[in-house]
Amino acid sequence: ETNKVPIRDGKGAIVGVLGSYRDITSRRKAEESLRQYSSNLRLLSEMTADKAGGAFLQSCAEGLAALLGVPLAIVGKRCLDKPESIDIIAHWGGLPSALSKGCDLSGARLDRRVFAEPTRAFNEARVHYGGNDLLECTRAESFVSVPIHYPDGSVCGCFIALSNKQLSPSVEHLLPIVRIFACRMGISIERAQTMRELEMRIERASLLESVSRQIRASLEPREIVQSTVVRLGLGMKTDRCFILKFKDLPQPHVALVSEYTVEGVDTIDSAEINVSESPMVMGMIESDSVVAINDLNETEWTGKQGCFFNRANTKSMIAVQTSYQNRVNGILVLEHCHEHRQWTEDECDLVKVVADQVGIALGQAAMLEKERNQGRELVEKNKALGKAKSEADAANQAKSEFLS
């Protein structure tokens, strides 16, 4: 940038020129960078403006991959039971099939970088993080990572852009945009999770009403328990749901009375557990609290309860006793067999409420059955009494006829 002014003598004639200049290259570069930044931000904003939920995350992955010039970008949600792993909920580019169900980031401690460290473009990735599943499967040589936070600040996932070649130094200037969209992704993930939780609560309220209505509509024990395990198993999306009936004679034990299983999961069939030989069952009988186990392999319980709670590769289970008038009459159990499951407080509350209703229904049904049995016994006694009376009358008549 130059400025020039003429130098004049006393008569006003120009006798020279006074000039100044300064280098504005850095300012022009900054202005161009700002224009490019604004243009990129506007394009990405327009690209995702009308999107929500999974579509928004997919658009973010696509737009940020194009912005950074990488062939693959993924949005991962942190797993609750394995915080060093992610479920890939959106991606752009060719995702290897080995990563379709998620990825363990613990190899070479890559999880520490993507979840805890600030946004950064990282070259020579496989030199420093060689052996990590994600980098090995994608053959990535460089990556950009940024943690995704919920609005409260807790980490809920990460965004990772991967390339099989070195990243351009200009990528560093694009990282603020990546951070902005990481914040928006965090808000989107939280909103989607809140909606799912709301939908689940509505579904479970409907499930509870359905189970309660079915229980009230019948006093037949088999119909009650079978309807309950089927509706509860389907509503909770579990692999197996069953009810054990408690009997205290000849010795305290529980026996299977009804069961629901999904296709491909073995049934328990008929079996019994001696309460004294099963710490797990004994604990359920003695306590009315819900037993929720996310990983059955981590429990220290041993004994014959394995025939129920450790068969068919059961991963997680939730169980609670059923009772009537403060007397235990059974146990309601739900199992997850294909993968571990994090049981929520809402799920525990729902199972507890259903178990309370089942306990009451079973107790009342047992009383009705007892009354029916007593009625049948009374009928049989009356028949026997009538028969004896008829025989006595016949004998008396025969005696009278003989004496006459």
Side-chain angles (χ1 to χ4, degrees):
E1 181 181 69
T2 61
N3 291 291
K4 298 177 182 179
V5 294
I7 300 175
R8 301 177 185 275
D9 59 14
K11 296 180 180 181
I14 297 174
V15 296
V17 177
L18 176 63
S20 65
Y21 74 93
R22 60 178 176 175
D23 187 350
I24 60 171
T25 303
S26 60
R27 191 181 79 184
R28 288 294 175 86
K29 287 183 177 180
E31 290 174 349
E32 178 59 28
S33 177
L34 181 60
R35 280 194 295 271
Q36 189 63 41
Y37 176 89
S38 300
S39 175
N40 290 330
L41 185 59
R42 184 178 63 258
L43 288 174
L44 276 171
S45 297
E46 292 174 352
M47 184 177 180
T48 59
D50 59 344
K51 305 293 194 305
F56 171 77
L57 299 177
Q58 186 70 27
S59 294
C60 286
E62 178 183 356
L64 291 174
L67 177 68
L68 298 171
V70 298
L72 176 62
I74 63 175
V75 179
K77 189 174 185 297
R78 203 170 192 176
C79 299
L80 293 176
D81 56 337
K82 293 183 178 180
E84 71 279 3
S85 301
I86 57 171
D87 289 327
I88 298 177
I89 56 178
H91 73 277
W92 178 258
L95 184 71
S97 58
L99 301 177
S100 59
K101 292 185 177 181
C103 180
D104 183 355
L105 299 179
S106 61
R109 304 312 299 163
L110 181 62
D111 57 316
R112 294 183 179 180
R113 169 164 296 282
V114 300
F115 290 136
E117 296 189 17
T119 310
R120 180 183 171 188
F122 201 87
N123 286 315
E124 299 181 350
R126 298 180 68 194
V127 174
H128 298 277
Y129 297 99
N132 180 269
D133 291 348
L134 177 63
L135 300 182
E136 290 297 324
C137 286
T138 59
R139 311 297 294 175
E141 296 293 340
S142 57
F143 67 88
V144 173
S145 68
V146 54
I148 298 175
H149 297 86
Y150 285 133
D152 65 3
S154 59
V155 177
C156 64
C158 61
F159 169 80
I160 306 176
L162 302 115
S163 177
N164 53 9
K165 58 183 181 181
Q166 298 291 300
L167 295 170
S168 168
S170 62
V171 166
E172 291 289 342
H173 301 295
L174 302 174
L175 298 185
I177 296 179
V178 179
R179 284 192 288 268
I180 289 173
F181 277 85
C183 291
R184 293 186 61 188
M185 283 187 275
I187 295 172
S188 177
I189 292 173
E190 183 190 49
R191 183 181 295 117
Q193 181 168 310
T194 301
M195 290 299 297
R196 281 195 299 270
E197 290 175 354
L198 179 59
E199 290 172 357
M200 289 174 63
R201 289 189 179 187
I202 294 173
E203 288 177 2
R204 286 168 188 158
S206 176
L207 169 64
L208 179 58
E209 181 182 359
S210 173
V211 170
S212 300
R213 185 169 55 249
Q214 184 66 30
I215 289 175
R216 291 193 299 268
S218 174
L219 284 176
E220 294 297 329
R222 290 188 178 182
E223 186 177 338
I224 290 173
V225 294
Q226 187 59 36
S227 172
T228 298
V229 295
V230 171
R231 291 174 183 269
L232 190 59
L234 288 171
M236 294 282 286
K237 296 179 175 61
T238 57
D239 297 326
R240 181 190 291 120
C241 180
F242 58 94
I243 293 176
L244 304 173
K245 188 174 181 180
F246 175 71
K247 301 178 181 179
D248 52 8
L249 294 175
Q251 59 184 354
H253 68 282
V254 290
L256 180 70
V257 293
S258 191
E259 178 186 23
Y260 157 83
T261 60
V262 298
E263 184 178 356
V265 174
D266 294 338
T267 59
I268 294 174
D269 299 323
S270 58
E272 293 186 355
I273 297 179
N274 190 326
V275 173
S276 63
E277 296 177 352
S278 173
M280 181 183 289
V281 172
M282 185 177 295
M284 295 175 190
I285 296 297
E286 294 176 348
S287 173
D288 64 352
S289 59
V290 177
V291 177
I293 302 174
N294 299 326
D295 187 348
L296 200 62
N297 294 326
E298 294 181 356
T299 63
E300 298 179 356
W301 282 310
T302 58
K304 292 184 179 179
Q305 77 273 13
C307 67
F308 281 127
F309 305 116
N310 258 338
R311 63 180 293 138
N313 298 319
T314 301
K315 305 294 185 183
S316 307
M317 62 160 286
I318 185 170
V320 63
Q321 64 166 244
T322 64
S323 62
Y324 180 64
Q325 295 182 345
N326 296 323
R327 291 178 61 87
V328 177
N329 58 11
I331 301 174
L332 174 62
V333 184
L334 294 94
E335 293 183 343
H336 222 54
C337 302
H338 294 104
E339 59 187 0
H340 292 101
R341 177 164 173 171
Q342 296 288 321
W343 303 104
T344 65
E345 185 176 348
D346 286 342
E347 289 172 333
C348 293
D349 291 342
L350 174 62
V351 173
K352 174 62 175 166
V353 172
V354 172
D356 289 341
Q357 301 228 10
V358 171
I360 294 171
L362 289 178
Q364 293 177 344
M367 291 176 60
L368 178 61
E369 186 64 23
K370 184 178 180 180
E371 291 176 359
R372 287 175 177 174
N373 290 336
Q374 290 175 345
R376 283 192 290 267
E377 290 176 2
L378 182 59
V379 169
E380 292 298 324
K381 288 180 180 179
N382 288 335
K383 286 182 179 179
L385 183 60
K387 182 179 180 182
K389 184 177 182 302
S390 297
E391 291 175 352
D393 290 342
N396 288 334
Q397 184 178 357
K399 181 179 178 180
S400 298
E401 291 176 353
F402 176 79
L403 293 175
S404 62

